[in-house]
Amino acid sequence: MTSRLPFVDLQAQRRRIGPRLDEALARVLAHGQFILGPEVRELEAKLAAFSGVKHCISCANGTDALLLPLMAWGIGPGDAVLVPSFTFVASAEVVVLAGATPVFVDVDRTSFNVTPESLELGIRAAREAGLAPKVAMPVDLFGQPVDFAKIEPVCRKHGLKILSDAAQSYGGAQGNRRVGSLAPVTSTSFFPSKPLGTYGDGGAIFTDDGEIDALLRSIRMHGQGIDKYHNVRIGLNSRLDTMQAAILLEKLAILEDEIAARDRVARRYADALDGVCEVPRIAAGNVSAWAQYTILIEDRDRVAKELDAAGIPTAIYYPIPVHRQDGYRHFPAAKGGLPVSEELADLVLSLPMHPYLEPADQDRVIAAVRQAAGRS
Ligand SMILES: *Cc1c(COP(=O)(O)O)cnc(C)c1O
């Protein structure tokens, strides 16, 4: 009997920085400023510097990090937000919560990210549905930044704002710019299994725009004016706990090193599995944060079952594209349908991926995939 591999090994990371984390948490317990304590400001400053932007606004989770900018922009009834269907449901959910309408667009089969062609078709579908297209929300799926050079001209032509859903790509880069600085407003998540994950929920928004920064700080604190009991707009309670900020400060210190380790794991997978299945491709100049290592493989459900029997956990992100989910099927979609999103849902399989995946353990995954694919 061989042991079962973890899908994401948070304990290996804890063995590396455990004492530092314990000390950081003890400091918060000692000073007792649990809401917006000094670690929150310190983390925001360090994240802004890491990303190369002026402002970082932390909040309660990655979903709120998407909702808050929509609220700040006054997006609401009659407005359309263009969202890929092949994503985690939160990307579309926040649009509905804001009172606007998600209009689903398709993705590229190789990058898993929104295509400019589908964005155009989605904008047309929004107008035909009597909606005003206001925002495009490209998602950096599985960790690879969206091709902004291709998306931006479409958005500019139609007067759309860009809200980048970088929940899976924090730590990644495009050219000489890091995620956080690639779009006018970028949101990310610190959910435990994300590339920069904490021990609970957390999120953040990145921007160079001072006006948006001030609005977001007000909205995350019940729409506060000069203080919490002076309320000048509708907001919500969405702050990052000081405890989580203290943890994230320690994890941010090793993020660059961890992204490099994830990249080594990804390259090893690609070398061994190319030809056995379709392996993910990263465009020249991009650095993926490798939130997931997702292959495309025929007979996916059988392969997943065989890997499971060999003690290798896998995950399916995502088995149902959002436009086919019961809560979302009545919203408009790009003209011509979303064939790639639908095809991907049947083929994707995410393999164990984390910075501490040892070569011997990775070889077990590779051997099991080869065997399940009939190429051992
Ligand atoms: C995780 C995730 C979110 C939401 O983040 P939470 O912190 O879980 O609220 C949003 N979009 C995408 C693409 C995600 O992967």
Side-chain angles (χ1 to χ4, degrees):
M1 255 314 273
T2 40
S3 63
R4 194 169 176 79
L5 292 181
F7 189 67
V8 170
D9 192 353
L10 292 177
Q11 288 309 324
Q13 185 195 50
R14 189 168 162 76
R15 283 193 288 279
R16 175 176 177 184
I17 55 169
R20 297 185 59 85
L21 290 168
D22 293 346
E23 284 163 31
L25 288 173
R27 282 195 296 275
V28 177
L29 288 172
H31 71 56
Q33 294 176 58
F34 300 120
I35 302 295
L36 298 184
E39 285 83 358
V40 176
R41 266 292 177 183
E42 187 186 344
L43 177 70
E44 289 180 339
K46 287 201 168 140
L47 286 170
F50 186 83
S51 281
V53 292
K54 288 194 188 130
H55 310 285
C56 167
I57 307 93
S58 60
C59 62
N61 53 65
T63 306
D64 283 359
L66 293 167
L67 177 59
L68 289 163
L70 296 179
M71 291 173 75
W73 285 330
I75 300 301
D79 295 336
V81 178
L82 288 298
V83 184
S85 176
F86 195 63
T87 180
F88 180 58
V89 71
S91 315
E93 180 179 52
V94 294
V95 178
V96 184
L97 288 174
T101 304
V103 175
F104 293 108
V105 297
D106 213 359
V107 296
D108 177 72
R109 199 175 183 281
T110 305
S111 69
F112 306 112
N113 287 337
V114 165
T115 64
E117 295 80 18
S118 189
L119 193 55
E120 284 276 6
L121 293 171
I123 291 166
R124 207 185 303 164
R127 294 217 173 97
E128 283 175 18
L131 301 163
K134 293 275 179 72
V135 177
M137 190 195 295
V139 179
D140 297 346
L141 208 68
F142 304 146
Q144 174 164 218
V146 163
D147 190 348
F148 286 102
K150 292 217 173 100
I151 298 295
E152 263 164 5
V154 179
C155 293
R156 202 173 325 119
K157 180 172 128 198
H158 295 282
L160 266 61
K161 294 182 191 298
I162 300 178
L163 172 57
S164 163
D165 181 348
Q168 300 185 10
S169 63
Y170 199 74
Q174 191 157 75
N176 54 8
R177 291 153 71 201
R178 282 215 174 104
V179 167
S181 67
L182 302 175
V185 179
T186 300
S187 300
T188 199
S189 162
F190 304 127
F191 185 83
S193 60
K194 303 282 159 121
L196 178 58
T198 187
Y199 290 153
D201 278 309
I205 305 152
F206 300 81
T207 187
D208 277 325
D209 185 331
E211 240 171 87
I212 293 288
D213 172 59
L215 276 171
L216 293 172
R217 286 181 192 284
S218 165
I219 295 169
R220 78 168 176 189
M221 188 82 139
H222 303 289
Q224 74 169 14
I226 47 174
D227 63 38
K228 190 178 170 183
Y229 303 105
H230 179 232
N231 310 101
V232 296
R233 60 180 59 82
I234 303 300
L236 39 87
N237 171 3
S238 187
R239 297 162 309 225
L240 180 71
D241 289 350
T242 309
M243 290 276 203
Q244 303 301 343
I247 291 161
L248 285 164
L249 278 166
E250 300 305 327
K251 295 203 185 193
L252 178 61
I254 58 166
L255 180 63
E256 207 173 349
D257 181 65
E258 288 192 338
I259 297 289
R262 284 174 189 269
D263 205 53
R264 284 194 293 276
V265 171
R267 280 169 204 272
R268 216 158 166 275
Y269 269 142
D271 286 346
L273 293 176
D274 195 7
V276 176
C277 55
E278 283 180 65
V279 296
R281 307 262 173 222
I282 302 304
N286 274 359
V287 175
S288 175
W290 294 113
Q292 302 297 341
Y293 190 87
T294 304
I295 59 171
L296 305 185
I297 194 159
E298 295 295 334
D299 214 359
R300 186 263 325 272
D301 292 339
R302 178 188 57 79
V303 171
K305 232 170 153 180
E306 286 183 23
L307 289 179
D308 184 62
I312 293 159
T314 58
I316 297 169
Y317 303 116
Y318 297 93
I320 307 174
V322 186
H323 75 284
R324 286 193 156 175
Q325 299 276 7
D326 285 344
Y328 295 87
R329 45 171 98 245
H330 58 291
F331 293 116
K335 300 245 129 199
L338 309 175
V340 180
S341 296
E342 289 170 10
E343 189 195 2
L344 287 174
D346 292 333
L347 295 177
V348 284
L349 187 66
S350 299
L351 304 178
M353 163 54 84
H354 60 85
Y356 306 97
L357 186 58
E358 297 289 346
D361 288 338
Q362 192 176 11
D363 287 344
R364 268 181 67 192
V365 181
I366 290 164
V369 173
R370 294 184 74 97
Q371 184 164 10
R375 304 271 185 87
S376 58

